Amino acid sequence: MYDADVIVIGSGGGGAVAAKELGEKGLKVLVLEAGPFYGNKQWQNPNSERGGEWSSSYHDLDIGLYKKTYNLYENNMNDVVSGAIRFGPADRRRDPWHRKMPQQGDIWQASGVGGTTQHYWAQSPRAFPSAVDHIWPISYRELIPYYEKVEATLPVQFSPITPKEELFYYGAKKAGWTLNPTLNVVTPGYRPNPNAILPPNKHLMDPNYSMEQLNHMEGCTLQGHCVNGCTSGPSVDRIAKRGTLVSYIPLALKTGNVSIRPNSFTINILTEQDPKEGLRACGVQFRDTWTGEVGELKAKTIVMAAGCIESPRLWLNAGLPYNAWVGRGLTNHYFDWVGGVFDEKDLLSILGTTSVFPYAGHTSGARVDIPGIGIFQVSCLSPGLMSFLTYGFSEAGYNALRPPEPGEPWNMRGRVVGPELKELMKHYSQTMTMLLLTDDEVRYSNRVEVDPLLKDENGPIPVIHYSPSAKTLQRRDKLARYACETLQHAGAKKIIRSDLPTGFLLHIESTMRMGHVVDSNCEAYQVKRLYIADNSVHFNGIGGPNPTLTTQALATRTADKLAHKYFGHSIETDK
Amino acid sequence: MQEAENCQLPADNQTLVTFRALVEAIVPHTPELAGFGELQTLGAADLGVHYYLAWELDHTLALFFGIHLTNFPLAASTARLLNVGAVQFAAASQLIQPINCSHWVISPFSALAPLDRIRVLAMLEQLRVDLGTLPPPYQNNGGNVKFIIDYLNRATLFGTYSEWSAYGSTRLCTPTERVLQSFPIGWEQSGYPGVSLGYRALRGFLLTIVRDKGVSTIV
Ligand SMILES: Cc1cc2nc3c(=O)[nH]c(=O)nc-3n(C[C@H](O)[C@H](O)[C@H](O)COP(=O)(O)OP(=O)(O)OC[C@H]3O[C@@H](n4cnc5c(N)ncnc54)[C@H](O)[C@@H]3O)c2cc1C
Ligand code: SF4
């Protein structure tokens, strides 16, 4: 009667982890993923042909196909409308899946095996303990063994130093920040990013090895394409940047218990009434994104990991019981972005080179953590992405029409246009940029809902509203000041604060919050046997740190709890 | 399901003229930079980024209409939004520089001086406009107006400084059929060496995580 023990919906940051953990426990797992499966023999031309249906074998993974798709070109990879990594069907002739967001901004999520971790930058810090303890239904301590397990599995390691990190540390030290050698951040300070990136190739600095050779060996080559998906590695599962497509998915397939069906958009959750358990989940309906055919699968338990927008959308479209918190409480680290342009001679004296080399090294390799406020982290990108984030994407309008007041720690705020922009982009190589992550306060009014009229092939479409609280705004402003002061101390001659739009959504969290929609084991209060294992179960924005590691720790824990409750396994941390 | 794309752009002339004026105002042709090489003079319009905007806007929205998934092209209505904005801007006597009368009939937006075009964008973004006069999907929908004005800015930059223009004659094909034909001009202008297999840029380590029996220590 059942097709599997567990169906996992979505194979991104959280779903892939749940699948691997459950498969390792010997449970039979089916994963349904809306987008394509890149680097897999079953799909030779994943963006133009339907290809196979399921992949159940580690041997399906194919590094040649992987590198053919992940070609590192920024427009080809990242274009939100038509890029290889976008939120849309595998068929790139088709339009992306639409979300309505009536405000400035952009929702940056990706479909496909690996989900949004395909272009995440692999920063994998733990939550700030102060954002969890006495606030979440579970304690920080309870998370630690799961953090350890995920960090060892990915694995997570501190970033190496390349010129931009050196410049960042130089400025941070001069601005008075001290080194914080820890994974559990309770005081402010700077440190390298704990990144899910393999350590640099041991032969990287040895000219006897060509770059071509190094690219086919294990270890990061500091190629600086983390956002485009990374191509350094001898096989899919040894690629340097550890998105789940190359980390947890290969491990899941290796268990022999996990089958993955890409191109399968789950459109409904099937439930039944059980005399003892009450309402419980027992299956799903999904739509093949190539043929439009609708299929049905049954399982004893369901894990929803469709991400912070699609999980609530699926709940609502499936007509699951009303819960006032479904889709509510969205947090987003209300991002900001600042950049400093340096003189070549200053760079020469600090770094011994005239360039920041913004394109070399981890996309982001170092940070200043400030519990209670947030984080600023050096983050540098190729020019297309860098130009729009630094000079073209803002809630503050145009710098030329509304220049900042004198005395601010930035010389420019908002979009830059005209000859001034071209002059600035000429100095791209002398520009260090930083991403700012705010400790974002939960507000009930920030939400995902479904449109009463508009539909796509998968049902009523999501509508997103986000506006920061006064406290979040204050913290963000402080953070921008701290970051710009660090740039000043490093010697930047011009400083720009983009003032990114409120609706720039990358670190979406807490739309199906623990304690409101799911219990402390991440099982839905109102629908038994339905678990959630993506960013949406976070109780808040974890204080500002990048969210994925916490999702992965929770997904590991959730797999434990699920296997214990419904399959009689012992809990791993009790062993 | 949509048909496979050919590489033609359906956008009409008015749309392209309007977008050309837009991208030129954001990333202009700059003869004054000739001293740094002819290449530095090229602006977004020289790179054809107005075609990029039109292509993207025409391929971004698909919704159910009746019982079919239907593509809603947005380029023409977005260009019209800019032109309606320009007319209202001029009517409110906000112009700072004279208009180019010969362009007015084709595209009022393109008839404005570059900085006035930016002022029109600001006016629209701040919703200082009669929302009822705008074309759908912007009519009486301030949220959509804010979204699209911001989008036009960032897409112009992404089109200019990414490799898009270097797809040359294939740049308007479906993405899987595009072929790179030269080194991207925006990359050259910004001194980006292009995609790379790696850099010998390692300068050491500040901290290292050491794991032993499920416990991490930092050295
Ligand atoms: C450019 C960028 C950089 C980032 N950098 C970092 C970083 O350095 N560190 C960090 O911690 N975070 C980073 N993030 C955020 C990170 O990507 C997310 O936190 C993480 O991917 C969230 O995991 P998730 O499982 O919640 O969702 P996702 O990873 O988005 O996975 C959801 C999956 O479900 C699939 N899906 C959705 N609906 C359905 C459906 N109905 N049926 C079947 N499948 C469905 C989707 O296609 C997708 O594959 C970054 C994000 C972006 C965009
Ligand atoms: S720096 Fe390069 S090699 Fe290293 S992880 Fe990022 S993309 Fe891969």
Side-chain angles (χ1 to χ4, degrees):
Chain A
M1 165 187 179
Y2 290 111
D3 298 290
D5 294 322
V6 192
I7 292 170
V8 178
I9 304 165
S11 63
V17 176
K20 175 259 185 192
E21 293 295 330
L22 293 162
E24 269 183 2
K25 291 174 197 299
L27 302 184
K28 294 284 172 210
V29 181
L30 300 178
V31 180
L32 295 175
E33 165 55 51
F37 199 151
Y38 292 139
N40 188 305
K41 290 188 190 116
Q42 302 292 334
W43 296 276
Q44 298 281 338
N45 294 300
N47 296 126
S48 48
E49 288 168 14
R50 178 165 182 258
E53 272 185 4
W54 291 93
S55 175
S56 312
S57 166
Y58 168 80
H59 300 290
D60 285 346
L61 301 178
D62 184 314
I63 186 68
L65 289 172
Y66 174 93
K67 291 193 187 189
K68 197 168 137 199
T69 300
Y70 278 69
N71 80 350
L72 307 178
Y73 281 82
E74 55 178 338
N75 193 289
N76 177 51
M77 293 310 297
N78 295 301
D79 193 290
V80 286
V81 173
S82 62
I85 311 181
R86 62 168 184 171
F87 191 71
D91 185 349
R92 286 173 76 188
R93 287 165 295 195
R94 291 181 51 198
D95 296 348
W97 288 314
H98 186 63
R99 281 84 177 271
K100 206 165 122 183
M101 190 179 57
Q103 63 187 97
Q104 285 116 323
D106 191 24
I107 301 168
W108 215 357
Q109 286 187 321
S111 56
V113 176
T116 314
T117 71
Q118 292 180 93
H119 63 177
Y120 92 150
W121 303 347
Q123 271 97 82
S124 301
R126 300 177 180 184
F128 287 155
S130 56
V132 175
D133 280 330
H134 314 296
I135 299 172
W136 282 47
I138 59 174
S139 68
Y140 185 78
R141 232 185 126 84
E142 218 168 313
L143 284 171
I144 288 180
Y146 296 105
Y147 277 140
E148 290 281 359
K149 183 169 187 191
V150 177
E151 287 164 351
T153 305
L154 284 167
V156 174
Q157 186 50 270
F158 281 125
S159 291
I161 305 172
T162 71
K164 62 183 159 52
E165 286 79 26
E166 192 165 324
L167 184 60
F168 180 84
Y169 293 137
Y170 174 82
K173 271 191 261 186
K174 284 187 73 170
W177 302 103
T178 52
L179 181 66
N180 212 356
T182 186
L183 295 173
N184 305 307
V185 175
V186 293
T187 53
Y190 70 88
R191 57 177 180 148
N193 279 337
N195 280 351
I197 293 180
L198 297 180
N201 186 308
K202 292 215 168 27
H203 303 290
L204 182 61
M205 302 305 279
D206 180 349
N208 292 320
Y209 289 83
S210 71
M211 276 302 159
E212 188 67 35
Q213 275 174 304
L214 292 166
N215 198 247
H216 293 294
M217 293 164 68
E218 181 164 326
C220 171
T221 54
L222 305 177
Q223 63 173 233
H225 292 294
C226 309
V227 66
N228 299 330
C230 165
T231 62
S232 278
S235 56
V236 170
D237 61 339
R238 302 316 299 157
I239 286 286
K241 190 198 81 171
R242 312 296 292 154
T244 55
L245 172 60
V246 304
S247 56
Y248 275 90
I249 289 294
L251 291 173
L253 290 173
K254 267 186 182 164
T255 66
N257 292 321
V258 178
S259 299
I260 303 169
R261 194 182 201 281
N263 308 316
S264 304
F265 205 108
T266 307
I267 50 173
N268 196 9
I269 298 206
L270 305 173
T271 55
E272 62 192 13
Q273 277 294 341
D274 179 75
K276 273 208 223 104
E277 293 179 18
L279 188 71
R280 66 181 190 189
C282 59
V284 299
Q285 283 176 322
F286 64 94
R287 191 176 172 284
D288 185 306
T289 64
W290 288 95
T291 64
E293 279 163 336
V294 173
E296 198 170 291
L297 290 167
K298 295 267 193 168
K300 294 175 193 154
T301 51
I302 311 286
V303 175
M304 183 153 71
C308 274
I309 295 177
E310 297 300 326
S311 284
R313 178 196 189 192
L314 182 55
W315 179 291
L316 294 167
N317 285 349
L320 297 183
Y322 174 78
N323 178 312
W325 279 95
V326 166
R328 293 278 172 167
L330 180 153
T331 59
N332 163 46
H333 292 166
Y334 188 12
F335 283 15
D336 208 342
W337 183 265
V338 301
V341 187
F342 291 77
D343 271 356
E344 294 193 354
K345 68 169 180 14
D346 293 337
L347 291 175
L348 195 63
S349 79
I350 303 166
L351 301 176
T353 67
T354 55
S355 172
V356 175
F357 293 102
Y359 42 81
H362 293 186
T363 295
S364 177
R367 60 179 47 219
V368 168
D369 299 287
I370 317 168
I373 297 192
I375 292 108
F376 61 94
Q377 53 173 50
V378 56
S379 304
C380 298
L381 298 159
S382 44
L385 295 166
M386 178 276 192
S387 62
F388 94 67
L389 279 166
T390 314
Y391 303 119
F393 195 27
S394 183
E395 189 103 6
Y398 296 90
N399 179 65
L401 303 182
R402 212 170 55 175
E405 302 284 319
E408 295 287 20
W410 42 80
N411 318 97
M412 287 170 272
R413 181 174 181 164
R415 301 186 198 104
V416 183
V417 294
E420 194 181 11
L421 166 74
K422 285 190 73 180
E423 185 64 35
L424 286 162
M425 280 308 293
K426 212 151 67 59
H427 295 286
Y428 159 76
S429 291
Q430 284 81 42
T431 309
M432 176 166 73
T433 44
M434 298 185 196
L435 174 66
L436 280 49
L437 312 174
T438 312
D439 179 0
D440 189 9
E441 193 176 36
V442 173
R443 299 180 88 189
Y444 184 74
S445 54
N446 289 334
R447 64 192 185 274
V448 177
E449 51 196 10
V450 291
D451 196 277
L453 299 172
L454 300 179
K455 284 184 194 159
D456 66 12
E457 69 274 33
N458 302 311
I461 64 165
V463 188
I464 290 97
H465 296 270
Y466 172 82
S467 92
S469 74
K471 216 187 245 170
T472 296
L473 274 168
Q474 258 173 17
R475 290 171 181 158
R476 179 172 178 271
D477 200 58
K478 268 198 196 146
L479 207 51
R481 281 166 205 285
Y482 285 137
C484 291
E485 282 160 17
T486 291
L487 284 169
Q488 282 175 331
H489 280 282
K493 287 292 176 286
K494 273 190 198 143
I495 295 176
I496 164 108
R497 176 179 180 188
S498 309
D499 206 341
L500 293 176
T502 43
F504 186 36
L505 307 183
L506 278 84
H507 286 184
I508 320 171
E509 289 169 271
S510 60
T511 54
M512 301 288 263
R513 303 171 71 204
M514 189 191 285
H516 292 287
V517 179
V518 295
D519 66 16
S520 60
N521 296 333
C522 295
E523 183 174 12
Y525 283 118
Q526 293 151 296
V527 187
K528 293 296 147 222
R529 296 174 181 264
L530 177 63
Y531 287 78
I532 304 182
D534 55 30
N535 280 11
S536 69
V537 294
H538 295 196
F539 188 81
N540 56 15
I542 71 172
N546 322 56
T548 313
L549 184 82
T550 298
T551 293
Q552 298 179 322
L554 281 170
T556 308
R557 180 175 175 273
T558 300
D560 243 14
K561 304 284 183 189
L562 181 158
H564 176 65
K565 180 165 175 185
Y566 292 111
F567 299 93
H569 289 239
S570 60
I571 295 280
E572 257 187 49
T573 47
D574 295 344
K575 282 178 197 160
Chain B
M1 196 96 18
Q2 286 157 237
E3 291 295 306
E5 297 286 342
N6 58 24
C7 303
Q8 299 295 312
L9 184 75
D12 59 282
N13 189 42
Q14 187 193 35
T15 300
L16 288 173
V17 170
T18 307
F19 284 165
R20 191 173 206 287
L22 170 75
V23 304
E24 179 62 17
I26 296 174
V27 190
H29 187 85
T30 46
E32 65 271 26
L33 293 180
F36 299 96
E38 211 39 45
L39 215 79
Q40 291 290 352
T41 65
L42 300 178
D46 302 316
L47 271 55
V49 173
H50 41 304
Y51 289 97
Y52 174 68
L53 292 186
W55 193 95
E56 296 276 296
L57 286 166
D58 280 349
H59 292 82
T60 195
L61 182 63
L63 292 169
F64 252 59
F65 187 66
I67 52 164
H68 294 292
L69 188 63
T70 309
N71 163 271
F72 293 87
L74 291 177
S77 58
T78 304
R80 228 173 303 136
L81 166 74
L82 300 183
N83 286 317
V84 173
V87 170
Q88 294 192 22
F89 186 80
S93 317
Q94 295 185 31
L95 290 172
I96 295 195
Q97 288 168 43
I99 60 167
N100 176 339
C101 295
S102 63
H103 278 211
W104 185 265
V105 261
I106 313 168
S107 153
F109 184 78
S110 74
L112 307 189
L115 197 56
D116 277 329
R117 293 177 212 153
I118 299 295
R119 290 196 171 89
V120 170
L121 298 178
M123 175 194 88
L124 288 167
E125 186 171 39
Q126 292 160 17
L127 308 183
R128 290 184 281 113
V129 61
D130 180 350
L131 288 172
T133 61
L134 303 179
Y138 308 110
Q139 190 172 39
N140 297 317
N141 193 328
N144 280 357
V145 176
K146 280 169 175 278
F147 178 89
I148 206 70
I149 297 298
D150 187 64
Y151 170 79
L152 292 172
N153 279 271
R154 73 182 138 92
T156 299
L157 290 190
F158 192 48
T160 306
Y161 289 105
S162 69
E163 82 280 8
W164 177 81
S165 66
Y167 294 119
S169 60
T170 64
R171 67 197 167 162
L172 302 173
C173 302
T174 208
T176 45
E177 285 159 26
R178 293 177 193 169
V179 181
L180 214 64
Q181 296 176 342
S182 56
F183 190 82
I185 287 168
W187 287 2
E188 195 134 343
Q189 287 178 331
S190 51
Y192 176 62
V195 304
S196 158
L197 296 179
Y199 294 101
R200 303 192 201 270
L202 182 62
R203 295 190 167 203
F205 300 90
L206 203 53
L207 299 172
T208 305
I209 305 170
V210 179
R211 298 194 172 84
D212 187 31
K213 300 190 189 74
V215 180
S216 296
T217 38
I218 313 283
V219 293

